[in-house]
Amino acid sequence: MTVSLLVPSSLCREAADKREATHKVGLVARAATVFRVDRVTIFPDSDGDRRWGGGFVSTVLRYAATAPYLRKEAWGTRDELEQVGVLPPLRAVSRTGSESQGSGSSRQGIVTEVGPDGRVRVNCGLQHPISLVDPTDVGLDEGERVTVRISSREPVRARIVDEPAPGFAVERADLSAALGREDAGLRIATSRHGEALTTERLGVLAGRVEDGMTVAFGAPERGLPAMLGIDEASVASADETGSDPAGFDRWLDTVPNQGSEVVRTEEAVFATLACLTLPR
């Protein structure tokens, strides 16, 4: 099961400054980690972009998804990362269920040096970079990120494995490309004009999301219908007719009877994923 989260490049359009924009992106990263999202995709909303666009959002998300012990080496100093001190800690757990500090743990690593005889030196947050066998056929490059499985710390025994690193991947892509992925699963658009998510409807959806889901969100004061140029009335009837011009399977109002005029994107992400990731 793959869970993908789609957020617009205009995510931070109403942020007053870089600090607020960074904090907003951090909350999305936090939600993605808590609910085990596999991939966060930033899709373009050029008409809604303001000062903090898709490049800023993707950079901060990638930084947040990088293990703290690798951030300095992986990112150095960048203007977009000036306020990353406000990011909440993610503390992503391994997808294999191993503990990050124990033997048998999986950790992110960065190749710091490519040596002879098919070996590389990898910084994976231990006291020093460690020398490991390159298991790939094409060869690893300096700066490449890998997943390291540590079986012992004293003495150090580890190997590079073909496993996803803890946390989520980040990419930038058009909305149509993200919805067209083979592992997209159930494609859900969130909007206050969609069907209200009720306990009955959630039960119907539960069986379908087991094969994966892709959930898309709009931006503050600029929802998905406005971004896509879709009439709000057609959104309300899309699920009944089975035909949606944007390519979604469902349009859902995941915060029905909202008490605020505007539900912020990061709030909607938490509210939506909390419901859709419930076990049957």
Side-chain angles (χ1 to χ4, degrees):
M1 171 177 164
T2 299
V3 179
S4 296
L5 186 65
L6 310 184
V7 295
S9 59
S10 54
L11 171 68
C12 304
R13 67 190 306 264
E14 91 291 10
D17 52 34
K18 190 182 294 185
R19 180 183 178 88
E20 184 180 344
T22 302
H23 181 62
K24 178 181 286 289
V25 176
L27 291 176
V28 172
R30 178 71 179 162
T33 304
V34 168
F35 297 107
R36 292 185 177 270
V37 169
D38 298 284
R39 179 174 52 242
V40 179
T41 299
I42 301 95
F43 63 89
D45 176 32
S46 54
D47 292 339
D49 279 352
R50 291 181 181 171
R51 188 174 182 183
W52 320 111
F56 172 85
V57 174
S58 63
T59 297
V60 175
L61 276 174
R62 288 190 175 102
Y63 177 90
T66 302
Y69 50 81
L70 296 178
R71 287 173 177 173
K72 183 177 180 179
E73 181 166 341
W75 291 99
T77 302
R78 298 194 182 196
D79 289 342
E80 301 99 314
L81 304 176
E82 184 181 3
Q83 297 293 332
V84 292
V86 302
L87 290 174
L90 302 189
R91 302 186 66 181
V93 299
S94 168
R95 294 185 180 276
T96 62
S98 62
E99 295 296 331
S100 62
Q101 298 300 324
S103 61
S105 63
S106 293
R107 294 172 71 85
Q108 294 183 36
I110 295 180
V111 177
T112 60
E113 182 182 345
V114 177
D117 303 323
R119 298 188 72 87
V120 293
R121 291 187 69 80
V122 179
N123 177 2
C124 56
L126 301 181
Q127 188 173 3
H128 304 288
I130 56 178
S131 177
L132 299 173
V133 174
D134 180 353
T136 66
D137 295 329
V138 297
L140 294 168
D141 297 321
E142 186 174 328
E144 192 166 346
R145 301 193 192 193
V146 294
T147 301
V148 176
R149 177 70 110 172
I150 299 174
S151 56
S152 171
R153 289 177 176 266
E154 294 183 7
V156 175
R157 294 190 182 94
R159 60 192 174 94
I160 298 172
V161 294
D162 184 19
E163 294 177 2
F168 54 88
V170 180
E171 67 176 23
R172 297 179 68 180
D174 289 339
L175 191 60
S176 58
L179 295 177
R181 295 181 65 109
E182 291 185 2
D183 60 355
L186 185 67
R187 297 163 297 184
I188 298 172
T190 59
S191 170
R192 65 186 303 173
H193 304 289
E195 291 183 306
L197 183 59
T198 61
T199 53
E200 181 181 0
R201 186 162 287 117
L202 186 60
V204 174
L205 293 173
R208 297 193 62 183
V209 301
E210 286 181 345
D211 294 328
M213 61 180 169
T214 296
V215 189
F217 296 85
E221 300 179 356
R222 184 172 166 81
L224 284 171
M227 291 181 188
L228 301 174
I230 299 175
D231 181 66
E232 295 171 357
S234 65
V235 167
S237 61
D239 294 343
E240 299 175 3
T241 62
S243 126
D244 175 53
F248 290 103
D249 299 310
R250 287 286 186 274
W251 282 82
L252 293 179
D253 177 5
T254 55
V255 190
N257 302 319
Q258 63 190 58
S260 173
E261 292 182 2
V262 175
V263 175
R264 296 175 177 176
T265 305
E266 63 272 23
E267 296 168 339
V269 172
F270 271 102
T272 302
L273 294 180
C275 295
L276 295 180
T277 58
L278 287 172
R280 297 184 69 177

